[in-house]
Amino acid sequence: MGRMGETRRILVLTFTVVALTIVLVVGGAIWKLFDVGAAHMDDGSIDMAVTVMLALAFASITGLWICYGVLDSHFDDLERLRAAVLVASVSPDGRLPPPREELRVDEVSRVREAVETLILRRLFPSATPDERLTAVLATLEEGILVVTDQGQVSLSNAAARVLLGEEPIRVGSSAFAALERDDLVAAMGDAEAHPGGAVDATLRGVDGQPWLARVYHLPGHSGFVVRITATPLADGEVRPITRSGVIHHDLSLHDSLPEAAADDDTPLFDLPVFVFDSETTGLDIHRDRIVSVGGVRVHGTRIFHIANIDRLVNPGIPIPAGAAAIHGITDEVAAGAPPFAAAWPALEPLLRGAVLVGHNIGFDLALLRRECALAGLPPPAPPTLDTLLLAGLLFPGMTDLNLEVLCRHLGIDVHGRHTALGDALVTAELYVRLLPLLDAAGIKTLAEAHAYTRKATHLLARQRAMGW
């Protein structure tokens, strides 16, 4: 914001000089009027002249102030537009975040529309090869599901979603929410071991419904294609699946996660981070316990949805009704879950070598260390970055730094809130959108980001008062 700030300072100085000039000129005229005009004018004429000059001076300064307000408002709109363009550079859909308030139909709003149109045309040109390939896949008269080695859904067509359910096979979710784990894992193993890379299998849905399928191992890539060829009927006959035309996919889920190695000089755009969140029995870091852990790995501005954790934990103490009302985890729900120590072998590799990121991350880290100490595990001590502190410095005019408020400000779709993984995924989207704003503010490395957050003294004081 350097040049914008310099322009504003020049504007303030110019208007101040002009206003002072008006005051001095009018003041000098009034003094001269009393000093010289008294010999030639009566008191009434002098009073009238003084009133007219004061009125003209007031009108001039008022007009000057209105002009300054209009120009200052334009600078605010331009600054918001600059920030929006930076955020759009890492947004998956290329759209600019919504303005804080309804913009006037003026030059800035027209520039905003033009910039967004340019971004969308560059990101999503018409009739791209991917778009044509999607249209070809949509013509298949069978359910198509692509899953990663871990069973995470990376592609589904409409027929598969009709058969197995829209939510269970949503892109990024686990296919085991729709199909029995043992059946699918066995078929995937058989396909990988088979010389032809494909096997026929009967896959049961979680409701017990059997599906005739053919499972293919992707040659030269990780993952599998599950082709549901027909719907089995009670009498043994089969019914072809009706063709439908919508493909949902994110094949980047098959990409390998880069190795994590961060130090103070690592650029933020190359920084490996683990965005973490926990649901707990309360807010006392000395007495409360974790009931759920969730997190996802991020490298630079890329979120690796495949590298995530979502585990329910038995806290070993009663869950207060107030806490359960927020995250929905009751004593009955947690009763069958394993203790924290059982989740650690899956959680620790995601932490290793990465920077721990979260919204009020100090709280989650304090509870994480407490759980490790109670389980006899070495307490983790990763470097951290707090999205609340970063946002508080980048948006000094915002008084409410709640996660949902910040997401609305940056145009982030809020979903799955008040679950550990849901909050971690939303926080990851927030963190990624803050990176270009940090870069524009001259914050480029992990060390510079740490130094930057230390400037949020009032927010840090509030967190220390909470014991974090």
Side-chain angles (χ1 to χ4, degrees):
M1 201 174 79
R3 186 171 296 277
M4 185 72 71
E6 180 183 349
T7 304
R8 278 193 172 181
R9 286 192 292 272
I10 293 173
L11 181 66
V12 170
L13 181 61
T14 301
F15 275 68
T16 301
V17 169
V18 173
L20 287 174
T21 300
I22 292 173
V23 170
L24 290 174
V25 169
V26 171
I30 292 174
W31 177 83
K32 188 172 183 179
L33 184 66
F34 276 106
D35 185 50
V36 178
H40 307 284
M41 302 171 61
D42 56 38
D43 291 343
S45 298
I46 293 176
D47 290 343
M48 177 63 71
V50 169
T51 301
V52 170
M53 283 188 286
L54 289 174
L56 289 173
F58 177 78
S60 299
I61 293 175
T62 300
L64 201 63
W65 181 255
I66 292 173
C67 289
Y68 171 76
V70 171
L71 289 173
D72 192 57
S73 177
H74 268 287
F75 281 123
D76 284 338
D77 289 342
L78 287 171
E79 177 57 24
R80 291 183 190 128
L81 177 59
R82 182 194 70 91
V85 172
L86 291 172
V87 170
S89 69
V90 294
S91 173
D93 61 6
R95 292 195 176 277
L96 275 64
R100 189 175 303 179
E101 64 265 345
E102 192 65 32
L103 281 177
R104 300 174 298 278
V105 181
D106 59 6
E107 294 81 0
V108 176
S109 64
R110 289 194 289 272
V111 170
R112 178 189 177 88
E113 291 174 2
V115 169
E116 186 171 66
T117 299
L118 175 63
I119 292 173
L120 292 175
R121 285 179 179 173
R122 292 297 179 117
L123 287 180
F124 307 108
S126 60
T128 63
D130 281 349
E131 188 179 46
R132 289 192 289 267
L133 179 59
T134 298
V136 171
L137 290 174
T139 65
L140 300 179
E141 295 184 352
E142 46 197 6
I144 302 294
L145 201 64
V146 181
V147 299
T148 67
D149 290 341
Q150 293 77 23
Q152 193 173 17
V153 176
S154 63
L155 180 147
S156 66
N157 67 350
R161 295 193 298 277
V162 168
L163 295 174
L164 302 177
E166 184 81 29
E167 188 62 24
I169 59 171
R170 176 175 50 83
V171 169
S173 64
S174 173
F176 303 133
L179 297 169
E180 283 292 340
R181 178 186 292 269
D182 291 344
D183 290 353
L184 183 55
V185 169
M188 289 161 60
D190 291 344
E192 188 171 12
H194 194 277
V199 295
D200 292 318
T202 298
L203 304 178
R204 290 171 299 158
V206 292
D207 58 356
Q209 168 72 59
W211 302 104
L212 301 180
R214 189 163 179 80
V215 180
Y216 302 81
H217 181 242
L218 285 171
H221 301 278
S222 65
F224 299 84
V225 177
V226 179
R227 193 180 82 191
I228 303 176
T229 58
T231 307
L233 302 178
D235 58 7
E237 296 181 3
V238 296
R239 176 179 61 219
I241 297 171
T242 302
R243 183 176 71 199
S244 190
V246 180
I247 301 289
H248 294 171
H249 65 88
D250 181 6
L251 296 177
S252 66
L253 292 172
H254 296 265
D255 294 345
S256 299
L257 182 68
E259 291 187 12
D263 58 36
D264 284 347
D265 295 327
T266 303
L268 294 179
F269 281 108
D270 291 327
L271 191 68
V273 309
F274 178 54
V275 183
F276 178 73
D277 186 75
S278 61
E279 299 298 336
T280 67
T281 59
L283 299 177
D284 189 332
I285 62 171
H286 302 293
R287 294 189 304 173
D288 284 305
R289 303 289 298 273
I290 289 177
V291 299
S292 176
V293 294
V296 63
R297 278 288 301 276
V298 178
H299 195 93
T301 61
R302 186 170 179 186
I303 301 172
F304 284 82
H305 291 88
I306 190 173
N308 71 70
I309 185 172
D310 185 15
R311 296 289 181 92
L312 195 62
V313 172
N314 189 331
I317 63 172
I319 302 174
I326 294 174
H327 49 58
I329 303 173
T330 62
D331 289 330
E332 293 74 19
V333 173
F340 173 82
W344 182 247
L347 179 60
E348 191 276 334
L350 295 171
L351 274 166
R352 195 183 306 147
V355 176
L356 191 64
V357 170
H359 209 64
N360 275 323
I361 192 59
F363 170 76
D364 297 284
L365 181 56
L367 264 294
L368 192 60
R369 287 172 172 164
R370 170 170 160 77
E371 291 291 351
C372 286
L374 292 172
L377 299 167
T384 62
L385 284 176
D386 193 331
T387 52
L388 182 136
L389 299 180
L390 293 173
L393 292 165
L394 290 169
F395 310 121
M398 293 187 69
T399 56
D400 189 349
L401 297 174
N402 179 275
L403 186 57
E404 289 191 16
V405 173
L406 287 168
C407 287
R408 284 198 300 271
H409 180 63
L410 294 175
I412 300 169
D413 178 32
V414 178
H415 55 275
R417 286 280 282 118
H418 302 304
T419 65
L421 180 58
D423 282 356
L425 289 170
V426 171
T427 304
E429 295 283 358
L430 171 63
Y431 168 75
V432 165
R433 283 163 171 75
L434 293 181
L435 290 183
L437 300 180
L438 289 168
D439 184 71
I443 313 301
K444 300 182 182 297
T445 67
L446 176 60
E448 290 171 348
H450 281 151
Y452 188 56
T453 56
R454 287 195 288 271
K455 296 179 181 179
T457 52
H458 65 293
L459 294 173
L460 286 168
R462 189 184 306 168
Q463 292 180 342
R464 281 193 290 270
M466 296 288 288
W468 308 340

